């Protein structure tokens, strides 16, 4: 692929991604879908103390993440009558918090409150809660009880309206994230399967295993980080997968960077990589075993991720300075670099949200989500492009190899295997230790046809005899090993089958003579021998015995002078 084509493809993909994002932004925020965004309507109380002016900056403090276990944040608002048909619902999100939800004095939902004393892990949840038919003009109260430090107790994602429209609105809001995560997960899994299938034939195919695994892990991370997985997974499993995938990205990313930049052997970089790799793997297993939950170490994760991204970019710069990169290496470097840059921007954006510099609104979170999805999605696209380029290159080399092999092992005139292919084929049979039969055949009268009708007619004479052999020995190996010398090799055949095959060849030639389409007559001498007949087990011994019997048949035919025109001889 030329640089121009690559640049065009990159721009098409980039602007296509941006265009799709803007379309869904417009549908979400500019078009009325019948749902009511509740972000600015809440009255907020923190540990019994009302916020003085929540409308000025509705949730700057609430979303800052500066909470301790046991803090209680209460949201209250009145629900207006939307006059919509069907079941009504309330959509909200909770992060590491237990909650109770009331409509006036009616308890609508209560979850995880029993886990507060034990400090059991509470993950992220997105849920559509059914509202009673008489919801209008009643007070909706949501009590969030923080279970862990850095728990998020905001209501930036809250909406109410028809349940169907709420589900549709959620999907439209996160369709880019959902589609990107699904693409990465499925592509990584399929690519991994293809690698294991094709690795015996294609060199260095196993090097792509970390790339394929990284794709799938990034897909899981996208679905669990933005709670898209709530559609098909419970909260606890989703939280465990979120933490596991979060810390698994770092060691796999480091391995991918090493494979993409294997020419760079700078020792200080390798030492730092190994330290980060070890810490990440330890935290991953501690999380899986339930000893720690990685969301409690956001600073550590951010630091390790930042170090990984910096190391990848350093490697990319160093390797580009070295030069002599293959197209595949350039493509992988571009993919990893784009993923590093977009992810670094996304983490910085998240840091500004946690610090309260940027308010956590629905629009802001969608922007951060799409910004984060950009890198992994392009990584998957570039990996797919690299895979297609490699397969195309391998296929082209295979075609070239097959073409050269055909020229090396095929008879130029008749198209059947030549002596070299015959020797190779018999060598394979020798290793099998199975019985076989060699039929040696000599086309009679080739010199006569060449001398009297010309060499072009002699070529036609050989071609038509070859067609007879291919017809009779359709399931067996046939080769031309000399000017007028041919062989057929039959595996595990009984003796009568070899005799019947020779008789069929002779009968076909007789019919051709009777038809009289050519000014010459066809005839062939033949002899056969089996491997078990030879005292010395060697393919040449078997052939020599078959050739000896062929000459005996030629001698007998010469004496009988059958089908011989005047001047024609059995040579």
């Amino acid at each position: 692929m030329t640089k121009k084509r690559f640049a065009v493809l990159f721009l098409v993909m980039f602007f296509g991604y941006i265009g799709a994002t803007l379309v869904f932004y417009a549908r979400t925020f500019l078009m009325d879908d019948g749902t009511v965004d509740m972000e600015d309507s809440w009255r907020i109380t923190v540990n019994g103390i009302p916020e003085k002016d929540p409308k000025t900056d509705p949730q700057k403090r609430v979303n800052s993440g500066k909470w301790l276990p046991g803090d209680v944040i209460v949201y209250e608002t009145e629900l207006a009558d939307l006059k919509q048909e069907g079941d009504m619902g309330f959509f909200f999100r909770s992060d590491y918090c237990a909650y109770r939800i009331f409509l006036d004095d009616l308890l609508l939902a209560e979850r995880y409150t029993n886990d507060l004393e034990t400090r059991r892990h509470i993950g992220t949840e997105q849920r559509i809660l059914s509202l009673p038919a008489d919801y209008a003009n009643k007070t909706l109260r949501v009590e969030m009880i923080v279970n862990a430090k850095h728990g998020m107790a905001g209501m930036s994602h809250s909406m109410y309206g028809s349940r169907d429209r709420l589900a549709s609105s959620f999907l439209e809001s996160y369709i880019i994230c959902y589609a990107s995560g699904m693409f990465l997960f499925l592509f990584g899994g399929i690519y991994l399967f293809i690698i294991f299938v094709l690795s015996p034939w294609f060199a260095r195919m196993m090097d792509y295993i970390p790339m394929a695994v990284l794709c799938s892990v990034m897909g899981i991370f996208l679905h669990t980080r933005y709670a898209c997985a709530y559609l098909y997974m419970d909260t606890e499993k989703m939280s465990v997968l979120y933490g596991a995938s979060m810390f698994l990205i770092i060691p796999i990313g480091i391995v991918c960077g090493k494979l993409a930049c294997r020419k760079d052997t700078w020792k200080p970089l390798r030492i730092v990589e190994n330290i980060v790799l070890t810490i990440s793997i330890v935290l991953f297993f501690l999380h899986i075993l339930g000893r720690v939950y990685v969301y409690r170490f956001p600073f550590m994760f951010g630091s390790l991720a930042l170090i990984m991204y910096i190391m990848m970019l350093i490697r990319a710069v160093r390797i580009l300075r070295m030069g002599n990169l293959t197209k595949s290496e350039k493509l992988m470097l571009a993919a990893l670099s784009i993923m590093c840059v977009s992810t670094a921007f996304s983490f910085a954006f998240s840091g500004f949200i946690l610090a309260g510099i940027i308010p956590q609104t629905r629009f802001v979170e969608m922007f951060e989500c799409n910004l984060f999805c950009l890198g992994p999605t392009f990584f998957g696209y570039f990996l797919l492009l690299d895979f297609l380029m490699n397969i195309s290159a391998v296929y082209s080399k295979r075609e070239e190899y097959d073409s050269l092999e055909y020229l090396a092992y095929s008879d130029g005139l008749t198209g059947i295997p030549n002596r070299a292919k015959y020797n190779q084929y018999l060598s394979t049979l020798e290793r099998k230790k199975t019985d076989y039969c060699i039929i040696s055949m000599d086309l009679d009268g080739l010199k006569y046809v060449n001398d009297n009708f010309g060499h072009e007619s002699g070529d036609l004479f050989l071609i038509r005899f070859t067609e007879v052999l291919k017809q009779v020995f359709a399931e067996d190996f046939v080769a031309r090993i000399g000017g007028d010398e041919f062989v057929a090799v039959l595996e595990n055949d009984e003796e009568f089958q070899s005799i019947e095959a020779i008789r069929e060849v002779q009968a076909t030639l007789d019919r051709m003579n009777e038809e009289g389409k050519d000014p010459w007559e066809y005839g062939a001498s033949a002899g056969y021998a089996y491997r078990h007949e030879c005292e010395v087990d060697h393919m040449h011994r078997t052939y020599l015995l078959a050739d000896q019997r062929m000459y005996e048949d030629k001698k007998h035919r010469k004496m009988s002078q059958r089908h011989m025109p005047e001047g024609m001889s059995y040579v």
Side-chain angles (χ1 to χ4, degrees), residues 42 73-75 90 99-101 140-144 155:
W42 296 106
I73 299 91
V74 178
Y75 295 85
F90 166 56
Y99 60 82
R100 299 186 189 94
I101 301 177
L140 181 68
R141 187 171 77 258
V142 181
E143 298 178 1
M144 293 281 187
M155 277 289 164

Side-chain angles (χ1 to χ4, degrees), residues 37-154:
D37 194 335
M38 306 170 70
E39 184 175 334
D40 298 330
S41 64
W42 296 106
R43 298 186 300 274
I44 306 172
T45 302
V46 180
N47 293 330
I49 303 173
E51 289 284 332
K52 292 181 180 180
D53 190 6
K55 290 185 179 180
T56 304
D57 194 351
Q59 302 181 61
K60 181 176 180 180
R61 180 188 171 194
V62 172
N63 289 312
S64 66
K66 298 176 181 178
W67 300 109
L68 295 174
D71 285 345
V72 179
I73 299 91
V74 178
Y75 295 85
E76 290 183 313
T77 189
E78 281 70 40
L79 302 181
D81 189 356
L82 299 183
K83 302 185 185 302
Q84 295 180 1
E85 296 180 357
D87 296 334
M88 302 297 291
F90 166 56
F91 177 83
F92 69 101
R93 171 175 172 169
S94 66
D95 296 87
Y96 319 123
C97 295
Y99 60 82
R100 299 186 189 94
I101 301 177
F102 298 86
L103 188 63
D104 282 348
D105 295 327
L106 175 65
L107 179 64
L108 297 181
E110 181 177 10
R111 294 198 71 176
Y112 311 119
T113 52
N114 294 329
D115 299 325
L116 294 173
E117 293 183 3
T118 61
R119 295 290 308 281
R120 183 173 175 270
H121 174 63
I122 299 175
T124 297
E125 180 179 63
Q126 299 202 92
R127 184 179 177 187
I128 298 177
L129 184 66
S130 294
L131 294 175
D134 59 345
Y135 71 91
N137 302 316
K138 292 186 177 181
T139 300
L140 181 68
R141 187 171 77 258
V142 181
E143 298 178 1
M144 293 281 187
I145 305 100
V146 179
N147 182 51
K149 189 177 180 181
H150 302 292
M152 302 288 284

Side-chain angles (χ1 to χ4, degrees), residues 335-356:
L336 289 169
S337 299
I338 289 174
M339 187 175 71
C340 289
V341 172
S342 72
T343 309
F345 272 111
S346 175
F347 284 162
F349 207 80
S350 298
F352 291 144
I353 293 173
L354 289 174

Side-chain angles (χ1 to χ4, degrees), residues 447-495:
K447 184 177 184 303
Y448 171 80
V449 174
N450 280 331
D451 292 344
N452 291 274
F453 300 99
H455 286 279
E456 289 186 2
S457 296
D459 292 344
L460 182 62
F461 189 55
L462 287 165
I463 291 170
R464 290 188 173 168
F465 178 67
T466 302
E467 291 173 353
V468 173
L469 296 183
K470 290 196 290 186
Q471 178 184 344
V472 175
F473 300 101
E475 303 296 328
D476 303 301
F477 179 86
V478 178
R480 180 187 178 199
I481 61 172
D484 56 2
E485 300 174 27
F486 295 80
V487 292
V489 182
L490 289 67
E491 292 187 56
N492 298 315
D493 277 347
E494 300 293 337
E495 187 170 355

Side-chain angles (χ1 to χ4, degrees), residues 327-440:
K327 290 182 179 179
S328 179
E329 289 172 335
K330 290 179 180 178
L331 204 58
M332 285 300 95
L333 276 177
L336 289 169
S337 299
I338 289 174
M339 187 175 71
C340 289
V341 172
S342 72
T343 309
F345 272 111
S346 175
F347 284 162
F349 207 80
S350 298
F352 291 144
I353 293 173
L354 289 174
I357 299 173
I358 300 175
Q360 185 178 5
T361 64
R362 187 180 172 202
F363 179 87
V364 167
E365 174 142 338
M366 278 186 62
F367 179 79
E368 189 270 334
C369 172
N370 291 324
L371 180 64
F372 183 83
C373 291
L374 180 66
T377 302
F378 270 74
F379 176 77
Y381 286 156
F382 280 21
L383 189 60
L384 175 61
L385 185 62
D386 181 60
F387 169 73
L388 294 176
M389 288 174 57
N390 283 332
I391 290 296
S392 177
V394 169
Y395 183 73
S396 297
K397 288 182 180 179
R398 185 68 184 179
E399 280 189 327
E400 183 181 356
Y401 173 79
D402 290 342
S403 177
L404 293 173
E405 185 182 35
Y406 178 80
L407 292 174
Y409 289 115
S410 296
D411 179 59
L413 177 64
T414 62
I416 62 175
N418 58 13
R419 178 181 287 275
K421 185 65 177 178
Y422 161 73
N423 290 331
Q424 184 190 66
Y425 181 78
L426 277 188
S427 297
T428 303
L429 286 184
E430 286 284 307
R431 291 192 292 270
K432 288 183 179 180
K433 302 298 181 182
T434 56
D435 198 17
Y436 58 83
C437 172
I438 297 179
I439 300 177
S440 175

